[in-house]
Amino acid sequence: MIGKKMEEALNGQINAELYSAYLYLSMEAYFGCENLAGFANWMRVQTKEELTHAMKIYDYVADRGGRVILSAIEKPPAKWDSPVSVFEAVYKHEQKVTGLINDLVNLAVEEKDHATNSFLQWFVTEQVEEEDNASTVLGQLNLIKDSPQALFMMDKEMGQRVFTPPATEGE
Ligand code: FEO
């Protein structure tokens, strides 16, 4: 049985992951309007990943005899100045999520909740990848600067990203 404090904190993280999905869905809509279908695809894949993160925590809370309580999801921004500003926001957001995961691990240690600590290690590793993905794309966008040709090529590459459910990633 999971403790109340940990249960509440994990419910908060479910909300944060759903907000992440909402944020990336909004970014997909932005790229769709900018005729950057590849970037829009990248965001769709990211949205699906965030939903799996939320559901992973949802299932864990339920498995530990806890109660999932959903709360309102904040409205995400709808406008950005450029693809660079979108990915600056993605990178910043993922760094924030890493902080939230670290806080959860700290709480699990404090509460001597070893099962939750072990469960959260998947997210600790995942956040390394999440930050790396965002900073790689941001770095490439900074490299190409204002070249429409390079952006066009990069959009093609971003269109190649496919969603891989975590269960098939060898978790
Ligand atoms: Fe669920 Fe992008 O971290």
Side-chain angles (χ1 to χ4, degrees):
M1 184 88 188
I2 197 158
K4 272 286 150 219
K5 224 170 161 181
M6 202 70 244
E7 178 192 271
E8 252 173 48
L10 289 172
N11 273 316
Q13 192 61 30
I14 292 172
N15 184 272
E17 300 292 348
L18 290 174
Y19 174 77
S20 300
Y22 225 33
L23 175 65
Y24 296 137
L25 196 57
S26 186
M27 289 172 170
E28 177 188 340
Y30 162 83
F31 281 123
C33 271
E34 296 293 310
N35 295 311
L36 290 165
F39 280 88
N41 170 70
W42 195 97
M43 287 299 170
R44 172 68 63 96
V45 172
Q46 194 61 32
T47 297
K48 288 179 182 171
E49 280 208 2
E50 298 303 347
L51 291 174
T52 67
H53 295 171
M55 292 315 297
K56 215 175 162 71
I57 303 168
Y58 178 108
D59 289 339
Y60 175 76
V61 171
D63 287 349
R64 291 284 312 280
R67 176 76 166 92
V68 171
I69 303 284
L70 299 176
S71 49
I73 303 166
E74 196 189 320
K75 182 182 172 185
K79 283 188 190 161
W80 291 269
D81 292 337
S82 62
V84 170
S85 68
V86 174
F87 273 88
E88 280 169 351
V90 173
Y91 189 34
K92 205 169 148 202
H93 181 69
E94 289 302 334
Q95 287 173 305
K96 186 180 156 194
V97 173
T98 299
L100 294 175
I101 297 292
N102 288 342
D103 289 346
L104 288 171
V105 173
N106 289 340
L107 180 64
V109 170
E110 227 174 80
E111 297 281 299
K112 299 186 173 62
D113 184 344
H114 302 298
T116 300
N117 188 359
S118 165
F119 166 75
L120 288 169
Q121 294 311 307
W122 184 89
F123 285 88
V124 170
T125 307
E126 176 72 3
Q127 280 312 119
V128 173
E129 195 186 308
E130 292 282 78
E131 284 193 32
D132 185 45
N133 286 344
S135 81
T136 300
V137 176
L138 180 59
Q140 287 173 352
L141 282 170
N142 278 323
L143 268 181
I144 67 176
K145 294 218 181 314
D146 299 324
S147 161
Q149 291 92 336
L151 186 63
F152 181 77
M153 294 305 293
M154 193 173 165
D155 188 58
K156 290 254 172 280
E157 197 186 305
M158 297 288 274
Q160 302 300 311
R161 187 181 188 198
V162 289
F163 173 66
T164 314
T168 61
E169 282 173 350
E171 66 172 317

